[in-house]
Amino acid sequence: MIWITLVYIAFIFGNSATPAVYSSAESSWVTELLNRAMRTIGLTGLQFSEGFVRKAAHFTEYTGLGILLTLSLAKYECFSGRRRWRLIPVGFLIAGLDEGIQYFTPGRYCSIMDVLLDTCGVAFGVALLALISYVRTRKEKLPL
């Protein structure tokens, strides 16, 4: 599982190394796809902006990272149980490196707000698995 997580981090860093021209074209395509889907199902008043789609992608990408980090490191005592929250600073570090890559990518810029958004995504992924773990544990303790 650790290898999958490392490949996922490489994928994130690869996205950040994509020049702005290509990244913007991708975001525009996804935005149009989502807006077309909203029109198809009859939600003509709901339109997504490219900025919203980009921020949602950040959050979703890093929620996945939080889940993968938790699953990868759950077997190690230092990251299990209540200690899993130690993964949030790890996510913050990865997000900072990710934004640093964008600083050196043509047409891209780095943003502390994106680092914070990414860190919130990691925290959400960790919290989601903590909640699932809690519900499973409670279910097992319920009398039949």
Side-chain angles (χ1 to χ4, degrees), residues 98-111:
D98 184 34
E99 289 298 311
I101 291 168
Q102 288 186 30
Y103 180 78
F104 296 104
T105 303
R108 304 286 296 265
Y109 66 95
C110 61
S111 163

Side-chain angles (χ1 to χ4, degrees), residues 12-29:
I12 290 172
F13 289 170
N15 284 339
S16 290
T18 303
V21 172
Y22 302 112
S23 177
S24 183
E26 246 178 27
S27 296
S28 295
W29 180 80

Side-chain angles (χ1 to χ4, degrees), residues 45-102:
L46 183 59
Q47 293 289 307
F48 294 107
S49 69
E50 187 175 329
F52 174 81
V53 169
R54 291 178 78 83
K55 298 306 176 190
H58 268 272
F59 187 82
T60 304
E61 191 173 58
Y62 276 85
T63 296
L65 178 62
I67 290 169
L68 287 173
L69 285 171
T70 302
L71 292 174
S72 293
L73 301 174
K75 63 183 173 183
Y76 300 105
E77 188 59 34
C78 60
F79 290 107
S80 62
R82 291 184 181 181
R83 296 179 179 155
R84 77 182 80 213
W85 303 109
R86 293 179 183 178
L87 294 172
I88 295 171
V90 173
F92 179 80
L93 177 65
I94 293 168
L97 291 171
D98 184 34
E99 289 298 311
I101 291 168
Q102 288 186 30

